[in-house]
Coordinates of all heavy atoms in Angstrom, one line a residue:
G288 N -0.2 10.9 12.4 CA 0.6 11.2 11.3 C 0.0 10.8 10.0 O -1.2 11.1 9.7
S289 N 0.7 10.0 9.2 CA 0.1 9.5 7.9 C -0.9 8.4 8.0 O -1.5 8.0 7.0 CB 1.3 9.0 7.0 OG 1.9 7.9 7.6
G290 N -1.0 7.8 9.2 CA -2.0 6.8 9.5 C -1.5 5.4 9.4 O -2.2 4.4 9.4
I291 N -0.2 5.2 9.3 CA 0.4 3.9 9.1 C 0.0 2.9 10.3 O -0.2 1.7 10.1 CB 2.0 3.9 8.9 CG1 2.5 2.5 8.6 CG2 2.7 4.6 10.1 CD1 2.0 1.9 7.3
L292 N 0.1 3.5 11.5 CA -0.2 2.6 12.7 C -1.7 2.2 12.8 O -2.0 1.1 13.1 CB 0.3 3.2 14.0 CG 1.8 3.5 14.0 CD1 2.2 4.1 15.4 CD2 2.7 2.3 13.7
S293 N -2.5 3.1 12.3 CA -4.0 2.8 12.3 C -4.2 1.7 11.2 O -5.0 0.8 11.3 CB -4.8 4.0 11.9 OG -4.9 4.9 13.0
F294 N -3.4 1.8 10.1 CA -3.5 0.8 9.1 C -3.1 -0.6 9.7 O -3.7 -1.6 9.5 CB -2.5 1.1 8.0 CG -2.3 0.1 6.9 CD1 -3.4 -0.3 6.1 CD2 -1.1 -0.6 6.7 CE1 -3.3 -1.3 5.1 CE2 -1.0 -1.6 5.8 CZ -2.1 -1.9 4.9
F295 N -2.1 -0.6 10.5 CA -1.7 -1.9 11.2 C -2.8 -2.4 12.1 O -3.0 -3.6 12.3 CB -0.4 -1.7 12.0 CG 0.8 -1.4 11.1 CD1 2.0 -0.9 11.8 CD2 0.9 -1.8 9.8 CE1 3.2 -0.6 11.0 CE2 2.1 -1.5 9.1 CZ 3.2 -0.9 9.7
L296 N -3.4 -1.4 12.8 CA -4.5 -1.8 13.8 C -5.8 -2.3 13.2 O -6.5 -3.0 13.9 CB -4.8 -0.5 14.7 CG -3.7 0.0 15.6 CD1 -4.1 1.4 16.1 CD2 -3.6 -1.0 16.8
N297 N -5.9 -2.0 11.9 CA -7.2 -2.2 11.2 C -7.8 -3.7 11.4 O -8.9 -3.9 11.6 CB -7.1 -1.9 9.7 CG -8.2 -2.3 8.9 OD1 -9.4 -1.8 9.1 ND2 -8.1 -3.2 8.1
S298 N -6.9 -4.7 11.4 CA -7.3 -6.1 11.5 C -7.8 -6.5 12.8 O -8.4 -7.6 13.0 CB -6.2 -7.0 11.0 OG -5.8 -6.7 9.7
Y299 N -7.5 -5.7 13.9 CA -7.7 -6.1 15.2 C -8.8 -5.4 16.0 O -9.1 -5.8 17.1 CB -6.4 -6.0 16.0 CG -5.3 -6.8 15.4 CD1 -4.3 -6.1 14.6 CD2 -5.2 -8.2 15.4 CE1 -3.2 -6.8 14.1 CE2 -4.1 -8.9 14.8 CZ -3.1 -8.2 14.1 OH -2.1 -8.8 13.5
F300 N -9.3 -4.3 15.4 CA -10.3 -3.4 16.1 C -11.5 -3.2 15.3 O -11.4 -2.8 14.1 CB -9.6 -2.2 16.6 CG -8.6 -2.4 17.7 CD1 -7.3 -2.7 17.4 CD2 -9.0 -2.3 19.0 CE1 -6.4 -2.9 18.5 CE2 -8.1 -2.5 20.0 CZ -6.8 -2.9 19.8
K301 N -12.7 -3.2 15.9 CA -13.9 -2.8 15.3 C -14.0 -1.4 14.9 O -14.6 -1.0 14.0 CB -15.1 -3.3 16.1 CG -15.2 -4.8 16.3 CD -16.4 -5.1 17.2 CE -16.5 -6.6 17.4 NZ -17.6 -7.0 18.4
E302 N -13.3 -0.6 15.8 CA -13.3 0.9 15.6 C -11.9 1.4 16.0 O -11.3 1.1 17.0 CB -14.4 1.6 16.4 CG -14.5 3.0 16.3 CD -15.5 3.7 17.1 OE1 -16.1 3.0 18.0 OE2 -15.8 4.9 17.0
I303 N -11.4 2.3 15.1 CA -10.2 3.0 15.4 C -10.4 4.5 15.2 O -10.9 4.9 14.1 CB -9.1 2.6 14.4 CG1 -8.8 1.1 14.7 CG2 -7.8 3.4 14.7 CD1 -8.2 0.4 13.4
I304 N -10.0 5.3 16.2 CA -10.1 6.8 16.1 C -8.7 7.3 16.1 O -7.9 7.2 17.1 CB -10.9 7.4 17.2 CG1 -12.4 6.9 17.2 CG2 -10.9 8.9 17.1 CD1 -13.2 7.4 18.4
A305 N -8.3 7.9 14.9 CA -6.9 8.4 14.7 C -7.0 9.9 14.8 O -7.6 10.5 14.0 CB -6.5 7.9 13.3
I306 N -6.2 10.4 15.7 CA -6.2 11.9 15.9 C -4.9 12.5 15.5 O -3.8 12.0 16.0 CB -6.5 12.2 17.4 CG1 -7.8 11.5 17.8 CG2 -6.7 13.7 17.6 CD1 -8.2 11.6 19.3
E307 N -4.9 13.5 14.7 CA -3.7 14.2 14.3 C -3.9 15.7 14.3 O -4.8 16.2 13.6 CB -3.2 13.7 12.9 CG -2.1 14.4 12.3 CD -0.8 14.4 13.1 OE1 -0.4 13.3 13.6 OE2 -0.3 15.5 13.4
Q308 N -3.0 16.5 15.0 CA -3.2 17.9 15.0 C -2.8 18.6 13.8 O -3.4 19.6 13.4 CB -2.4 18.4 16.2 CG -2.5 19.9 16.4 CD -1.7 20.4 17.7 OE1 -0.9 19.6 18.2 NE2 -2.0 21.6 18.1
D309 N -1.7 18.2 13.1 CA -1.2 18.8 11.9 C -2.2 18.6 10.7 O -2.6 17.5 10.4 CB 0.2 18.3 11.6 CG 0.7 18.9 10.3 OD1 1.3 20.0 10.5 OD2 0.6 18.4 9.2
F310 N -2.6 19.7 10.1 CA -3.7 19.6 9.1 C -3.2 18.8 7.9 O -3.9 17.9 7.4 CB -4.1 21.0 8.7 CG -5.1 21.0 7.5 CD1 -6.4 20.6 7.7 CD2 -4.6 21.4 6.2 CE1 -7.3 20.5 6.6 CE2 -5.5 21.3 5.2 CZ -6.8 20.9 5.4
K311 N -2.0 19.1 7.4 CA -1.5 18.4 6.2 C -1.4 16.9 6.4 O -1.7 16.1 5.6 CB -0.2 19.1 5.8 CG -0.3 20.5 5.2 CD 1.0 21.0 4.7 CE 0.9 22.4 4.2 NZ 2.2 23.0 3.7
A312 N -0.8 16.6 7.6 CA -0.7 15.1 7.9 C -2.0 14.5 8.0 O -2.2 13.3 7.6 CB 0.2 15.0 9.2
S313 N -3.0 15.1 8.7 CA -4.3 14.5 8.9 C -5.0 14.3 7.5 O -5.7 13.3 7.3 CB -5.2 15.3 9.8 OG -5.5 16.6 9.3
R314 N -4.8 15.3 6.6 CA -5.3 15.2 5.2 C -4.8 14.0 4.5 O -5.5 13.2 3.9 CB -5.1 16.4 4.5 CG -5.8 16.5 3.1 CD -5.7 17.9 2.5 NE -4.3 18.3 2.4 CZ -3.9 19.5 1.9 NH1 -4.8 20.4 1.6 NH2 -2.7 19.8 1.8
C315 N -3.5 13.7 4.7 CA -2.8 12.5 4.1 C -3.4 11.3 4.7 O -3.7 10.3 4.0 CB -1.3 12.6 4.3 SG -0.4 13.8 3.4
A316 N -3.6 11.2 6.1 CA -4.1 10.1 6.7 C -5.6 9.8 6.2 O -5.9 8.6 6.0 CB -4.1 10.3 8.2
K317 N -6.4 10.8 6.1 CA -7.7 10.6 5.6 C -7.7 10.0 4.2 O -8.6 9.1 3.9 CB -8.5 11.9 5.6 CG -8.8 12.4 7.0 CD -9.6 13.7 6.9 CE -10.0 14.2 8.3 NZ -10.7 15.5 8.3
E318 N -6.8 10.5 3.4 CA -6.7 9.9 2.0 C -6.3 8.4 2.1 O -6.8 7.6 1.4 CB -5.8 10.8 1.2 CG -5.7 10.3 -0.3 CD -6.9 10.3 -1.1 OE1 -7.8 11.1 -0.7 OE2 -7.0 9.6 -2.1
N319 N -5.2 8.2 2.9 CA -4.6 6.9 2.9 C -5.6 5.8 3.5 O -5.6 4.6 3.1 CB -3.4 6.9 3.8 CG -2.3 7.7 3.2 OD1 -2.2 7.9 2.0 ND2 -1.4 8.3 4.1
L320 N -6.5 6.2 4.4 CA -7.3 5.3 5.2 C -8.8 5.4 4.7 O -9.6 4.8 5.4 CB -7.2 5.6 6.7 CG -5.8 5.4 7.2 CD1 -5.7 6.0 8.7 CD2 -5.2 4.0 7.2
K321 N -9.1 6.1 3.7 CA -10.5 6.3 3.3 C -11.3 5.0 3.0 O -12.5 4.9 3.1 CB -10.6 7.3 2.2 CG -10.0 6.8 0.8 CD -10.1 7.8 -0.2 CE -9.5 7.4 -1.5 NZ -9.5 8.4 -2.6
S322 N -10.6 4.0 2.6 CA -11.3 2.7 2.3 C -11.6 1.8 3.5 O -12.3 0.8 3.3 CB -10.4 1.9 1.3 OG -9.2 1.5 1.8
F323 N -11.1 2.2 4.6 CA -11.3 1.5 5.8 C -12.5 2.0 6.7 O -12.3 3.1 7.2 CB -10.0 1.4 6.7 CG -8.9 0.7 6.0 CD1 -7.9 1.5 5.3 CD2 -8.8 -0.6 5.9 CE1 -6.9 0.9 4.7 CE2 -7.8 -1.3 5.2 CZ -6.8 -0.5 4.6
K324 N -13.6 1.4 6.6 CA -14.8 1.9 7.3 C -14.7 2.0 8.8 O -15.5 2.7 9.4 CB -16.1 1.1 6.8 CG -16.2 1.1 5.3 CD -16.3 2.4 4.7 CE -16.5 2.3 3.2 NZ -16.5 3.7 2.5
N325 N -13.8 1.3 9.3 CA -13.7 1.2 10.8 C -12.7 2.2 11.4 O -12.5 2.3 12.6 CB -13.4 -0.2 11.3 CG -12.0 -0.7 10.8 OD1 -11.6 -0.3 9.7 ND2 -11.4 -1.5 11.5
I326 N -12.1 3.1 10.5 CA -11.1 4.1 10.9 C -11.7 5.5 10.7 O -12.1 5.8 9.6 CB -9.8 3.9 10.2 CG1 -9.3 2.5 10.4 CG2 -8.8 4.9 10.7 CD1 -8.0 2.2 9.6
E327 N -11.7 6.3 11.7 CA -12.1 7.7 11.6 C -10.9 8.5 11.9 O -10.2 8.4 13.0 CB -13.2 8.0 12.7 CG -13.5 9.5 12.6 CD -14.5 9.9 13.7 OE1 -14.8 9.0 14.6 OE2 -14.9 11.1 13.8
V328 N -10.5 9.5 11.0 CA -9.4 10.4 11.2 C -9.9 11.7 11.6 O -10.8 12.3 11.0 CB -8.5 10.5 9.9 CG1 -7.4 11.5 10.1 CG2 -8.0 9.1 9.5
V329 N -9.3 12.2 12.7 CA -9.8 13.5 13.3 C -8.7 14.5 13.3 O -7.6 14.2 13.8 CB -10.4 13.3 14.8 CG1 -10.8 14.6 15.3 CG2 -11.5 12.3 14.8
N330 N -8.8 15.7 12.7 CA -7.8 16.7 12.8 C -8.1 17.6 14.0 O -8.8 18.6 14.0 CB -7.9 17.5 11.5 CG -7.0 18.7 11.4 OD1 -7.3 19.7 10.8 ND2 -5.8 18.6 12.1
E331 N -7.3 17.2 15.1 CA -7.5 18.0 16.3 C -6.4 17.8 17.3 O -5.7 16.7 17.2 CB -8.9 17.6 17.0 CG -9.3 18.5 18.1 CD -10.7 18.3 18.5 OE1 -11.5 17.7 17.7 OE2 -11.1 18.7 19.6
D332 N -6.2 18.7 18.2 CA -5.2 18.5 19.3 C -5.8 17.5 20.3 O -6.9 17.6 20.8 CB -5.0 19.9 20.0 CG -4.0 19.8 21.1 OD1 -3.7 18.7 21.6 OD2 -3.5 20.9 21.5
V333 N -5.0 16.4 20.6 CA -5.5 15.4 21.5 C -5.9 16.0 22.8 O -6.9 15.6 23.4 CB -4.4 14.3 21.7 CG1 -4.8 13.3 22.8 CG2 -4.1 13.6 20.4
L334 N -5.2 17.0 23.3 CA -5.5 17.6 24.6 C -6.9 18.3 24.6 O -7.4 18.7 25.7 CB -4.4 18.5 25.1 CG -3.1 17.8 25.3 CD1 -2.0 18.8 25.6 CD2 -3.2 16.8 26.4
K335 N -7.4 18.6 23.4 CA -8.7 19.3 23.3 C -9.8 18.4 22.8 O -11.0 18.8 22.7 CB -8.6 20.5 22.4 CG -7.6 21.6 22.9 CD -7.5 22.7 21.9 CE -6.5 23.8 22.5 NZ -6.3 24.9 21.5
Y336 N -9.5 17.2 22.4 CA -10.4 16.2 21.8 C -11.4 15.8 22.9 O -11.1 15.5 24.0 CB -9.7 15.1 21.2 CG -10.6 14.0 20.7 CD1 -11.3 14.3 19.5 CD2 -10.8 12.8 21.3 CE1 -12.2 13.3 19.0 CE2 -11.7 11.8 20.8 CZ -12.4 12.1 19.6 OH -13.2 11.2 19.1
D337 N -12.7 15.7 22.5 CA -13.8 15.3 23.4 C -13.9 13.7 23.4 O -14.6 13.2 22.6 CB -15.1 15.9 23.0 CG -16.2 15.6 24.0 OD1 -15.9 15.1 25.1 OD2 -17.4 15.8 23.6
F338 N -13.1 13.1 24.2 CA -13.2 11.6 24.3 C -14.6 11.2 24.8 O -15.0 11.6 25.9 CB -12.1 11.0 25.2 CG -10.7 11.1 24.6 CD1 -10.0 12.2 24.8 CD2 -10.2 10.1 23.9 CE1 -8.7 12.3 24.3 CE2 -8.9 10.1 23.4 CZ -8.2 11.3 23.6
S339 N -15.3 10.4 24.1 CA -16.7 10.1 24.5 C -16.8 8.6 25.1 O -17.8 8.3 25.7 CB -17.7 10.2 23.3 OG -17.3 9.4 22.3
K340 N -15.8 7.8 24.8 CA -15.9 6.4 25.3 C -14.5 5.9 25.6 O -13.5 6.4 25.1 CB -16.6 5.6 24.3 CG -16.2 5.7 22.9 CD -17.2 5.0 21.9 CE -16.9 5.4 20.5 NZ -17.9 4.7 19.5
K341 N -14.5 4.9 26.4 CA -13.2 4.3 26.8 C -12.8 3.2 25.8 O -13.6 2.5 25.2 CB -13.3 3.7 28.2 CG -13.5 4.7 29.3 CD -13.2 4.2 30.7 CE -13.2 5.3 31.7 NZ -12.7 4.8 33.0
C342 N -11.4 3.0 25.7 CA -10.9 2.2 24.7 C -10.2 1.0 25.3 O -9.8 0.9 26.4 CB -10.0 3.0 23.8 SG -8.4 3.5 24.6
D343 N -9.9 0.0 24.4 CA -9.1 -1.1 24.8 C -7.6 -0.9 24.6 O -6.8 -1.6 25.3 CB -9.5 -2.4 23.9 CG -11.0 -2.7 24.0 OD1 -11.4 -3.3 25.0 OD2 -11.7 -2.3 23.1

Side-chain angles (χ1 to χ4, degrees):
S289 65
I291 184 66
L292 300 185
S293 289
F294 173 67
F295 293 162
L296 290 166
N297 171 63
S298 301
Y299 305 102
F300 289 87
K301 295 179 181 178
E302 181 182 7
I303 300 157
I304 299 175
I306 306 173
E307 173 55 52
Q308 182 176 12
D309 181 81
F310 173 73
K311 290 183 179 179
S313 68
R314 187 169 59 183
C315 290
K317 286 180 180 180
E318 179 65 22
N319 295 332
L320 301 170
K321 64 183 180 181
S322 63
F323 298 98
K324 303 304 181 184
N325 60 333
I326 303 177
E327 177 187 3
V328 178
V329 180
N330 175 212
E331 193 167 337
D332 182 344
V333 174
L334 296 175
K335 297 178 180 178
Y336 178 72
D337 183 18
F338 289 87
S339 60
K340 46 191 169 182
K341 293 199 172 186
C342 67
D343 302 282

